[in-house]
Amino acid sequence: MGTVSPLLLAMVLSLLSVLQAESLPLTPASSNKLLGSWYILRWAGDMPVPEKKKTHPLPAFRFIKNNINKLEFRMNIKKSAGCFLYKLPLDEFEAVGIFHVWNGHFIVMQFLPGRDHAIAYYQGKMDNTVYKMTMLMGRSRDENSDTVRLFEIFVEQMGLENTSIINPPLADNCELTRNP
């Protein structure tokens, strides 16, 4: 993974301790348990996303092990010019459920009971502003009231507004012209 500054390490470990201290039944997600297809059921955040893009349909995504055996987020995104594959490699941190995404940015992923739903959480600093973003993801589009309720509690505990929760429609699947 390379070197991580002590300040970033402290931020990630403090985020993990906050998540573990809360009363929500969350279990850290290892990369092997995340493999497969997922859907974004809800998301919330305070990042500057244009209003019209907040409710934009989102496609399913998948976690795979890439050719160097690292977890990788993959999503086929439909644009006017065709279908494009978005890839984001994730380095598993020393603590289970924490993934280094790019220089100084980490994502925490934890399962809800049953492991068919999980919560991903990002908190980072960009342009001297701290932003937070979280999503409820499921192995299918099926959701239940308990899962949504736990996500709403999580959103509040992370200091985000419950009214900022977005329920995105599912985007049509697009097929790549060649397999990556």
Side-chain angles (χ1 to χ4, degrees):
M1 175 176 67
T3 60
V4 176
S5 78
L7 179 61
L8 290 172
L9 179 59
M11 185 175 93
V12 169
L13 294 177
S14 67
L15 173 60
L16 182 62
S17 67
V18 166
L19 291 172
Q20 291 174 339
E22 301 299 339
S23 60
L24 293 176
L26 300 173
T27 305
S30 69
S31 60
N32 287 334
K33 301 244 191 266
L34 286 166
L35 296 175
S37 296
W38 292 87
Y39 297 86
I40 300 170
L41 303 176
R42 302 278 193 285
W43 72 270
D46 59 7
M47 296 183 82
V49 176
E51 204 59 40
K52 71 178 190 174
K53 291 205 177 231
K54 286 184 178 180
T55 56
H56 194 269
L58 296 172
F61 65 93
R62 62 197 177 283
F63 287 114
I64 60 111
K65 289 283 183 141
N66 63 19
N67 58 357
I68 56 172
N69 205 32
K70 292 195 184 228
L71 186 67
E72 190 170 273
F73 171 94
R74 289 188 175 190
M75 180 185 277
N76 292 352
I77 299 175
K78 191 175 188 176
K79 298 279 186 181
S80 57
C83 189
F84 296 92
L85 176 62
Y86 175 77
K87 296 191 236 181
L88 181 65
L90 304 163
D91 287 319
E92 196 158 12
F93 201 61
E94 289 86 6
V96 175
I98 300 177
F99 299 88
H100 184 245
V101 188
W102 61 87
N103 188 27
H105 297 274
F106 296 87
I107 294 175
V108 176
M109 287 189 259
Q110 298 198 328
F111 286 113
L112 290 163
R115 299 195 180 198
D116 288 331
H117 294 90
I119 292 176
Y121 178 76
Y122 164 80
Q123 178 176 317
K125 192 172 186 180
M126 291 184 278
D127 299 325
N128 295 318
T129 303
V130 175
Y131 291 108
K132 300 174 190 175
M133 183 165 276
T134 185
M135 74 173 173
L136 171 63
M137 55 194 203
R139 292 200 182 270
S140 72
R141 291 289 296 169
D142 296 336
E143 57 186 59
N144 61 51
S145 58
D146 289 340
T147 301
V148 173
R149 182 181 52 77
L150 289 172
F151 182 68
E152 290 170 349
I153 292 168
F154 181 85
V155 166
E156 289 175 358
Q157 288 177 346
M158 293 301 108
L160 295 168
E161 293 293 323
N162 220 352
T163 56
S164 71
I165 296 175
I166 306 293
N167 181 3
L170 180 63
D172 292 335
N173 192 22
C174 67
E175 295 296 325
L176 299 172
T177 54
R178 65 178 184 88
N179 200 359

